[in-house]
Amino acid sequence: ELKVEQNPLFLSMQEGKNYTIYCNYSTTSDRLYWYRQDPGKSLESLFVLLSNGAVKQEGRLMASLDTKARLSTLHITAAVHDLSATYFCAVAHLNPYGGSQGNLIFGKGTKLSVKP
Amino acid sequence: DARVTQTPRHKVTEMGQEVTMRCQPILGHNTVFWYRQTMMQGLELLAYFRNRAPLDDSGMPKDRFSAEMPDATLATLKIQPSEPRDSAVYFCASGLVLTGELFFGEGSRLTVL
């Protein structure tokens, strides 16, 4: 059974600081997603990582994937208040033949609060 | 601007009533998901369709929930009869397996009294 664990679950940061959110998963997968959710809102797609060693960056956020370690990281650089939100990682199941089955299992989310 | 459309956005109903939620996936997407989000359980996968065929509904209580895709432009999630523990936000998402893109709708917030 595919399990996805994020840590930390809560993160309070000062503006200008750097931090990393970790996402571990229990079985082999070929794709990993990062989403952002603001309170009462939908999930906004941030990154889709499709291969080992993939690294993607958008503004102050950078995501990476190590499929051998079954680990993805979301690194926040010089945090600003606007980044306050809950961040989810999600991992796709593989079918028995190794292809992506497509259905995603989500971690519990990391609630990020950036304080001035 | 392509988006996943869900209706209703909010629904308040009484225990025992039937609830139907609808989702219009993005045109051309071949996968559709239904997720339920609660504070306690987080995001739970209820059902997953590929090319309108149900591939996984193991997360869905079968005695009261049903999910269908009558055509490529409509996915439905039905609860009958509804119970207070069904109160949650229900999200629909659509995507393409090949590219990995997956987009979520705005959600349907259900309150069962």
Side-chain angles (χ1 to χ4, degrees), chain A residues 1-4 6 33-38 41-44 86-91 103-110, chain B residues 6 33-47 59 88-93 102 104-108:
Chain A
E1 182 191 350
L2 174 58
K3 292 188 188 222
V4 180
Q6 284 183 241
Y33 298 75
W34 284 98
Y35 285 90
R36 168 183 172 143
Q37 186 178 39
D38 292 296
K41 302 292 186 183
S42 183
L43 283 86
E44 174 191 351
T86 299
Y87 292 85
F88 291 93
C89 68
V91 179
N103 50 332
L104 301 189
I105 303 300
F106 279 79
K108 292 197 178 300
T110 296
Chain B
Q6 289 186 245
F33 299 79
W34 283 105
Y35 282 91
R36 173 169 66 182
Q37 186 176 36
T38 61
M39 288 293 293
M40 293 299 294
Q41 300 298 327
L43 279 155
E44 301 174 278
L45 177 65
L46 296 176
V89 180
Y90 291 81
F91 286 104
C92 175
L102 183 66
F104 280 74
E106 294 295 315
S108 294

Side-chain angles (χ1 to χ4, degrees), chain B residues 28-75:
Chain B
H29 281 184
N30 62 354
T31 60
V32 172
F33 299 79
W34 283 105
Y35 282 91
R36 173 169 66 182
Q37 186 176 36
T38 61
M39 288 293 293
M40 293 299 294
Q41 300 298 327
L43 279 155
E44 301 174 278
L45 177 65
L46 296 176
Y48 165 51
F49 293 81
R50 184 188 292 187
N51 298 322
R52 294 177 54 204
L55 286 195
D56 185 356
D57 62 0
S58 57
M60 199 164 64
K62 303 285 193 308
D63 56 338
R64 299 184 300 108
F65 284 60
S66 61
E68 294 180 348
M69 274 202 79
D71 62 61
T73 64
L74 177 64

Side-chain angles (χ1 to χ4, degrees), chain A residues 47-75:
Chain A
F47 303 107
V48 182
L49 303 169
L50 297 178
S51 60
N52 186 42
V55 177
K56 291 194 175 180
Q57 182 162 5
E58 181 74 35
R60 300 174 188 274
L61 301 178
M62 183 173 71
S64 65
L65 177 61
D66 181 344
T67 57
K68 292 179 181 159
R70 297 178 188 161
L71 170 69
S72 179
T73 59
L74 181 66
H75 186 72

Side-chain angles (χ1 to χ4, degrees), chain A residues 1-56:
Chain A
E1 182 191 350
L2 174 58
K3 292 188 188 222
V4 180
E5 288 189 2
Q6 284 183 241
N7 71 82
L9 297 183
F10 298 93
L11 178 55
S12 182
M13 296 177 65
Q14 293 283 332
E15 277 192 332
K17 298 291 188 184
N18 305 332
Y19 209 83
T20 300
I21 299 171
Y22 297 89
C23 176
N24 290 89
Y25 53 98
S26 60
T27 65
T28 303
S29 178
D30 68 341
R31 57 192 64 190
L32 187 141
Y33 298 75
W34 284 98
Y35 285 90
R36 168 183 172 143
Q37 186 178 39
D38 292 296
K41 302 292 186 183
S42 183
L43 283 86
E44 174 191 351
S45 179
L46 295 175
F47 303 107
V48 182
L49 303 169
L50 297 178
S51 60
N52 186 42
V55 177
K56 291 194 175 180

